[in-house]
Amino acid sequence: QPDLVERLISVDISPVSTTPVSEFSAYISAMKAVKIPDGLPRSAARQLADDQLRPVVQLPQLRQFLLTNLVEVEGRYIWRVNLEAISHHLADIMNFPVFHKPYPGPALFLGGSNSPYISSKDYPEIQRLFPKADVQYIEGAGHIVHQDKFEEFITAVLNFLTPP
């Protein structure tokens, strides 16, 4: 329903079929395997979880991002996100929604320069489905663009959202 969308931003994903990255299922498995004793202070719990994730999730910034989902509930630490649902639907999550009618409004495809998820081979499909699309990359950012380069990400989003 393109009439309900004034402007569209796609962050580090393009409208092509994406083969799920094998690391993501390994990350989810590692998160499921984290064991934290009840009653630990938050800082100790996060450090313990970080230590347990390190062998599988080697990038420190990615581990820190995942750890934002570790929350304390009644003295126990759990993951805020539904890991079971994510693991069962990873292929759906990793793919762009399928549609055939172009979106006529302004669109921004904002990728990280160090991420493989928006490449020049995707440009024809982006232009076909989003004829008013602008593709931009944030230098030095990986897939988690908003964490890697927060200020640059916010600047790009605000510049796009501000009407000309």
Side-chain angles (χ1 to χ4, degrees):
Q1 297 185 6
D3 52 317
L4 299 177
V5 179
E6 181 181 328
R7 293 170 181 272
L8 182 140
I9 301 174
S10 176
V11 179
D12 210 49
I13 193 77
S14 64
V16 296
S17 181
T18 303
T19 304
V21 177
S22 62
E23 292 95 21
F24 288 168
S25 60
Y27 298 163
I28 292 165
S29 294
M31 291 170 74
K32 286 181 183 178
V34 167
K35 301 289 184 250
I36 300 172
D38 294 350
L40 279 183
R42 180 177 160 89
S43 61
R46 283 181 63 99
Q47 184 59 56
L48 185 57
D50 187 50
D51 293 343
Q52 292 176 48
L53 291 173
R54 186 174 288 114
V56 176
V57 185
Q58 281 127 19
L59 289 173
Q61 63 268 37
L62 181 53
R63 280 196 316 277
Q64 292 308 306
F65 176 73
L66 295 176
L67 288 170
T68 64
N69 291 289
L70 187 66
V71 294
E72 187 258 331
V73 176
E74 298 176 5
R76 292 185 44 230
Y77 287 89
I78 61 169
W79 296 104
R80 175 187 343 225
V81 293
N82 185 335
L83 295 175
E84 286 301 319
I86 292 171
S87 63
H88 285 90
H89 298 282
L90 190 57
D92 295 324
I93 293 168
M94 293 297 298
N95 284 316
F96 204 90
V98 175
F99 63 98
H100 303 286
K101 186 177 177 184
Y103 169 71
L108 172 63
F109 283 77
L110 185 59
S113 68
N114 297 339
S115 173
Y117 289 101
I118 301 175
S119 76
S120 58
K121 68 179 176 43
D122 303 333
Y123 293 173
E125 187 66 359
I126 290 171
Q127 287 302 309
R128 183 180 78 76
L129 292 171
F130 302 90
K132 294 182 182 173
D134 182 22
V135 178
Q136 296 177 18
Y137 295 93
I138 295 182
E139 191 62 38
H143 180 60
I144 309 173
V145 182
H146 66 281
Q147 179 177 339
D148 292 349
K149 297 287 182 171
F150 180 76
E151 289 181 24
E152 294 89 336
F153 174 81
I154 293 297
T155 298
V157 167
L158 291 176
N159 287 341
F160 176 74
L161 292 177
T162 304

